């Protein structure tokens, strides 16, 4: 993997991350745009994967200020998948959450991606549930 994985640097990169989310979640997976845009993006940490000057992956972390972080909105452009970018985005998100004082990370994993999260030390909590027509499972792990 040759992509640079890091926090967004400016509003243009955040806009590109939101556009990729719209492509993947809304166009590809059928999630309504208003479900993706939940009002938390302005306060979130946005992590991106940049390859050849193009944004090819993104995710976000929402911090609650009490040692907890919520990971989500992980997506990779279709032509950049299967290169380890999702795992790299998750690792960088964990690093940034730790640096911001988070001790625990939770997420809602699409069940098709459970292996990624299990390999990264996440444990299932509860039963699968439907979120926007896609089966998910709540997972979490300690960041300490």
């Amino acid at each position: 993997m040759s992509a640079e994985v890091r926090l967004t640097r400016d509003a243009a990169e955040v806009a590109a991350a939101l556009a990729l989310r719209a492509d993947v979640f809304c166009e590809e997976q059928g999630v309504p745009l208003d479900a993706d845009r939940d009002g938390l993006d302005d306060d979130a940490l946005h992590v991106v994967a940049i390859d050849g000057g193009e944004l090819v992956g993104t995710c976000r972390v929402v911090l609650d200020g009490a040692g907890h972080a919520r990971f989500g909105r992980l997506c990779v452009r279709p032509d950049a998948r299967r290169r380890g970018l999702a795992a790299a985005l998750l690792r960088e998100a964990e690093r940034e959450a730790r640096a911001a004082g988070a001790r625990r990370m939770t997420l809602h994993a699409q069940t098709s991606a459970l292996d990624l999260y299990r390999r990264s030390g996440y444990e299932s909590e509860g039963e699968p549930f439907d979120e926007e027509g896609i089966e998910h499972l709540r997972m979490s792990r300690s960041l300490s």
Side-chain angles (χ1 to χ4, degrees):
M1 183 198 65
S2 62
E4 177 186 13
V5 179
R6 58 169 171 75
L7 287 177
T8 53
R9 292 184 177 151
D10 55 33
E13 285 186 350
V14 172
L18 295 176
L20 177 61
R21 283 174 26 191
D23 288 346
V24 172
F25 296 129
C26 304
E27 296 300 319
E28 185 180 327
Q29 297 182 352
V31 173
L33 184 62
D34 64 341
D36 177 60
R37 305 295 158 86
D38 58 6
L40 300 176
D41 287 314
D42 287 346
D43 297 319
L45 300 174
H46 296 273
V47 179
V48 293
I50 308 290
D51 190 16
E54 293 186 35
L55 191 144
V56 296
T58 189
C59 64
R60 77 173 188 193
V61 177
V62 177
L63 302 162
D64 74 358
H68 178 261
R70 170 87 189 269
F71 176 83
R73 305 304 197 264
L74 173 66
C75 59
V76 175
R77 205 170 69 186
D79 64 346
R81 293 177 186 162
R82 304 265 177 242
R83 293 176 30 206
L85 291 173
L89 286 159
L90 178 58
R91 279 192 305 274
E92 182 63 13
E94 290 171 347
R95 194 183 75 70
E96 292 293 343
R98 247 185 242 104
R103 295 178 304 280
R104 185 154 203 85
M105 182 98 86
T106 61
L107 56 89
H108 290 177
Q110 291 188 8
T111 54
S112 62
L114 290 179
D115 287 346
L116 165 70
Y117 299 111
R118 287 183 175 137
R119 283 193 307 269
S120 298
Y122 287 81
E123 296 182 2
S124 303
E125 298 178 353
E127 297 299 316
F129 59 92
D130 181 274
E131 200 166 78
E132 301 304 329
I134 302 168
E135 188 176 70
H136 285 73
L137 187 62
R138 180 181 164 94
M139 302 182 87
S140 70
R141 72 165 285 203
S142 169
L143 294 177
S144 47

